[in-house]
Amino acid sequence: MAGRGTSGKALRSDRGVRLYASTPAKPRYRAVAHDGSQRPGRPLDVTLGQNAAAPTDPMWIEEKAWADEYFDRAVKFAKGVGYSDPSQRRARIVGDLIDERERQLNEAVDRGERERRTFEKAESLHRLHVRPILQAVPLLEWDGDHCRTVLQAKVGDARRTDIGAAMRALVTLAHKQRWLPDDRDPMEDIEYWAKARVAGEAASTVPAKYRPSTDQVKALAEAMGERCRAVQAHFAGRPNVPVVVDRAWGELICNVGSFSGLRVGERFALTAESVLGHDRPQQLHLFHTIEGSDSGELRYKGLKGRQERYTVVAEDVWPALVARAEALLARFGPEQGPYALLFPARDHVMAKVRLADEEAARRGVPVGSVGWRDLEVWNRSEFTRSIFKKAAAVAGWPSHLTFNHLRHHFAGWFFPRSGNPPDISLVSMCMGHQSPQVTWNTYFRTTEAAIGEAAQGLRT
């Protein structure tokens, strides 16, 4: 074995993996993998390493054990231990990992509608966002900088979250397949949730002082009502091709977001059935959300968590919802009316369509059945451009808040009204979160700056 102090000769070498002792220039152990990447230990006292006491020094013993463990793992990885196919021992790239992930997801497609959607979503995320940057990157060179490059693309917060989750799934698979050493994690310390640090912004939490106030949401609702009526009058008054559009819902959809906590897609997927299909006053029954695909097609899909849920509605908002639902039911009749959208794109176009498996199960009819559905699904991009942004400018809506931040108002508004003492579990249930911790972390988590501000005014 080489001397511990100044020799540059490797202490151990196997399969291109080398372990070096400390030197005056590099006072630490260094494990160098076959691809040239290094994993150094902590700086050590070289003088101590050159005398006889070094082998019994606790720090040297600890570092030597760490170095040996890393060396053994790297050699095991280089040998392809666990691979059934010898051809798989070549230097892998991230593209190989993506192929394996899609293969495994595709095998589960026959299990049901949910698995098919999962595969389609993952394949789309890989093709549009992950492959263009990571396809040819060697697995052993894949690091956090690569991940940040992918996440810094100009996409919405929800899409960025999906991309990050897709890459996290790839890392998990790489460890499971033993294609990456367990201590190598390209997604370590990478935050990819909505508006995460990787995008140069704070976490998704909006502090209480930055949430929209009740006065602000009421001003926005009034401005949206005026904007929608103006658009309706414009289309109806066109001299060449007048068009009848339904825009009597601008103020109502804003109030639904502010005082019932629905996500944007859930608001646009509300039907008359959500209001009138049960005997619970001041509660909405949610079945679907509306989601856009990469091809631009908008479609109904199940809620997050795949479960229906109820949510509360403010007392002064509920009568307007009932009136609108009853008007739709009277217009289309008991067969079509329950499935008419409360907030349609133009005027309603009800048609018979094949029911998706989960929708057929919800209605209690055989798979493949035909039912009524409103086909005029609203385009949220058009809504944001032509309705929300114009109304927000008139109402003086804060520029850093979006239409979805009405949910933040609901969280802050409903929490003190949810019981005595306030019940965060009830807030979580109404907002459709998997656990109260998600609700608390997203909508109520404070910051160190807020702690400092609070400390300045404390008195005994």
Side-chain angles (χ1 to χ4, degrees):
M1 179 177 289
R4 185 181 294 270
T6 59
S7 174
K9 184 178 178 180
L11 294 176
R12 300 174 66 186
S13 179
D14 191 2
R15 297 285 175 146
V17 183
R18 299 177 302 279
L19 178 64
Y20 292 98
S22 62
T23 66
K26 297 180 179 180
R28 62 187 69 193
Y29 281 103
R30 289 179 298 120
V32 182
H34 67 281
D35 63 342
S37 60
Q38 297 189 26
R39 180 66 181 267
R42 75 183 77 173
L44 299 171
D45 187 338
V46 177
T47 303
L48 178 61
Q50 293 173 332
N51 61 45
T56 60
D57 182 85
M59 180 178 290
W60 279 95
I61 294 174
E62 179 184 348
E63 287 301 300
K64 183 60 168 62
W66 167 88
D68 287 335
E69 180 184 359
Y70 182 83
F71 176 88
D72 292 337
R73 280 205 302 265
V75 171
K76 192 174 183 180
F77 175 75
K79 289 181 178 179
V81 174
Y83 298 161
S84 58
D85 183 359
S87 65
Q88 294 180 345
R89 298 182 183 181
R90 66 174 175 82
R92 293 184 176 275
I93 59 175
V94 178
D96 299 329
L97 186 61
I98 296 175
D99 293 339
E100 177 64 18
R101 169 71 173 161
E102 292 179 359
R103 184 192 67 78
Q104 293 186 7
L105 290 175
N106 194 33
E107 287 182 350
V109 165
D110 294 337
R111 299 176 189 171
E113 179 74 11
R114 177 177 178 179
E115 286 74 15
R116 183 186 63 78
R117 287 200 306 266
T118 300
F119 168 73
E120 291 177 350
K121 183 175 183 179
E123 190 277 333
S124 176
L125 291 170
H126 295 158
R127 172 170 47 84
L128 296 176
H129 303 285
V130 183
R131 284 189 187 273
I133 296 174
L134 299 182
Q135 171 70 23
V137 175
L139 269 179
L140 292 176
E141 296 179 11
W142 183 21
D143 58 22
D145 290 338
H146 292 116
C147 297
R148 291 186 181 90
T149 301
V150 176
L151 291 171
Q152 285 170 349
K154 292 183 179 180
V155 295
D157 294 337
R159 175 62 75 180
R160 181 177 292 110
T161 299
D162 290 340
I163 296 169
M167 290 195 294
R168 166 50 63 193
L170 290 175
V171 174
T172 301
L173 177 62
H175 289 157
K176 183 178 179 180
Q177 295 290 112
R178 304 179 75 171
W179 293 358
L180 272 182
D182 292 339
D183 60 348
R184 189 175 181 87
D185 184 355
M187 288 292 289
E188 186 177 8
D189 298 329
I190 299 291
E191 293 191 31
Y192 54 86
W193 301 109
K195 292 189 176 179
R197 292 190 192 124
V198 70
E201 301 176 8
S204 58
T205 303
V206 176
K209 65 179 181 180
Y210 295 124
R211 291 191 197 121
S213 65
T214 299
D215 289 341
Q216 286 176 320
V217 299
K218 288 184 176 180
L220 178 64
E222 182 178 353
M224 283 185 57
E226 292 294 332
R227 176 63 185 169
C228 283
R229 286 187 286 271
V231 171
Q232 181 170 328
H234 167 74
F235 279 106
R238 292 196 303 187
N240 296 330
V241 187
V243 178
V244 176
V245 298
D246 183 354
R247 288 294 185 276
W249 46 257
E251 187 169 358
L252 183 57
I253 193 173
C254 186
N255 286 330
V256 167
S258 306
F259 299 102
S260 68
L262 275 62
R263 300 176 176 91
V264 176
E266 293 169 350
R267 294 172 221 168
F268 283 111
L270 282 176
T271 62
E273 182 186 24
S274 301
V275 179
L276 303 177
H278 58 87
D279 57 356
R280 301 185 181 190
Q282 286 186 231
Q283 294 186 41
L284 286 173
H285 191 186
L286 306 182
F287 306 105
H288 306 115
T289 184
I290 291 176
E291 180 185 75
S293 64
D294 295 307
S295 63
E297 177 188 3
L298 292 163
R299 61 184 179 182
Y300 294 89
K301 61 172 291 186
L303 300 174
K304 285 190 174 182
R306 313 298 178 189
Q307 294 183 351
E308 302 170 12
R309 77 174 193 273
Y310 285 88
T311 185
V312 299
V313 181
E315 183 178 6
D316 51 352
V317 176
W318 180 248
L321 279 168
V322 172
R324 183 156 180 81
E326 289 178 341
L328 293 173
L329 197 61
R331 176 181 175 183
F332 293 105
E335 183 180 7
Q336 305 174 44
Y339 310 109
L341 292 173
L342 294 181
F343 310 118
R346 295 182 179 272
D347 201 7
H348 287 277
V349 178
M350 299 295 294
K352 283 190 173 182
V353 296
R354 182 187 180 282
L355 299 180
D357 294 351
E358 63 180 41
E359 177 65 6
R362 184 184 73 78
R363 297 191 192 181
V365 298
V367 173
S369 298
V370 173
W372 290 100
R373 173 163 288 179
D374 192 322
L375 297 183
E376 286 293 325
V377 179
W378 180 250
N379 186 309
R380 282 182 285 169
S381 297
E382 182 180 342
F383 164 80
T384 300
R385 181 179 63 256
S386 65
I387 302 295
F388 169 70
K389 287 188 175 180
K390 299 291 180 64
V394 173
W397 186 254
S399 59
H400 65 281
L401 299 181
T402 66
F403 191 55
N404 194 50
H405 281 105
L406 296 177
R407 245 167 88 85
H408 288 263
H409 171 269
F410 172 78
W413 171 83
F414 182 51
F415 180 61
R417 296 168 172 80
S418 60
N420 188 19
D423 185 358
I424 189 63
S425 297
L426 180 58
V427 180
S428 177
M429 182 183 302
C430 289
M431 299 189 75
H433 288 149
Q434 292 183 345
S435 70
Q437 191 63 44
V438 174
T439 309
W440 190 263
N441 288 344
T442 304
Y443 295 96
F444 299 98
R445 183 176 57 187
T446 188
T447 63
E448 292 185 4
I451 295 175
E453 293 175 5
Q456 294 178 5
L458 291 179
R459 291 185 179 180
T460 57

